[in-house]
């Protein structure tokens, strides 16, 4: 059974940092790309970052480039999202998702529609 479990969310002041974790089970990171999405109240779900260990591709939304870093620990089957210089507009529920679709981790390939499995989400709140 494929399962994704996020952790690491919380409340942080603007300018602070958080590291989110997405622990995967039922598959290995070589088989699926992992992406991070976020959804703020009243807004559409937004793709934040993605990585594929099988082909080495990564993707970052323009809104987080230079501030967020995605990485993985294949031994732990876990993907991380290091979030630095957090802003109030980063406040959202963050979800990780997995996909076997080709070119998933690309500007035009990274989307909710092309995601196969989802975690339950973790809340990130950035206070001003």
């Amino acid at each position: 059974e494929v399962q994704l479990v996020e952790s690491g969310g919380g409340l942080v002041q603007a300018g602070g940092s958080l590291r989110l974790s997405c622990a995967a089970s039922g598959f290995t990171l070589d088989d699926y790309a992992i992406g991070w999405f976020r959804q703020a109240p009243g807004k559409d779900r937004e793709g934040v970052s993605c990585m594929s260990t099988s082909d080495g591709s990564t993707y970052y939304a323009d809104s987080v480039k230079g501030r967020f870093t995605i990485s993985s620990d294949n031994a732990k089957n876990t993907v991380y999202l290091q979030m630095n210089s957090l802003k109030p507009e980063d406040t959202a529920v963050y979800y990780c998702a997995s996909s076997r679709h080709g070119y998933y981790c690309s500007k035009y390939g990274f989307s909710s529609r092309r995601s196969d499995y989802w975690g339950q989400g973790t809340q990130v709140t950035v206070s001003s």
Side-chain angles (χ1 to χ4, degrees):
E1 179 187 5
V2 172
Q3 196 170 19
L4 299 169
V5 179
E6 302 99 332
S7 61
L11 173 64
V12 65
Q13 288 188 328
S17 299
L18 284 173
R19 189 179 79 158
L20 306 183
S21 300
C22 174
S25 59
F27 67 94
T28 68
L29 297 183
D30 284 339
D31 294 330
Y32 282 80
I34 299 291
W36 286 97
F37 293 81
R38 65 187 181 186
Q39 188 164 22
K43 294 189 176 181
D44 292 336
R45 191 166 293 189
E46 172 192 19
V48 174
S49 182
C50 179
M51 75 177 303
S52 171
T53 60
S54 63
D55 64 16
S57 59
T58 58
Y59 167 82
Y60 293 95
D62 288 342
S63 57
V64 305
K65 274 181 185 175
R67 300 188 298 123
F68 291 10
T69 303
I70 194 168
S71 63
S72 68
D73 183 334
N74 284 26
K76 296 182 178 180
N77 224 35
T78 298
V79 172
Y80 304 98
L81 185 68
Q82 178 67 43
M83 306 186 297
N84 298 330
S85 302
L86 283 162
K87 305 175 181 179
E89 51 263 44
D90 294 317
T91 295
V93 178
Y94 283 70
Y95 301 89
C96 65
S98 62
S99 174
R100 300 187 75 170
H101 289 273
Y103 303 104
Y104 182 64
C105 293
S106 63
K107 181 178 181 179
Y108 298 106
F110 184 42
S111 70
S112 298
R113 180 176 55 85
R114 300 181 83 239
S115 301
D116 300 320
Y117 298 97
W118 293 87
Q120 82 287 352
T122 186
Q123 177 71 46
V124 171
T125 303
V126 184
S127 63
S128 56

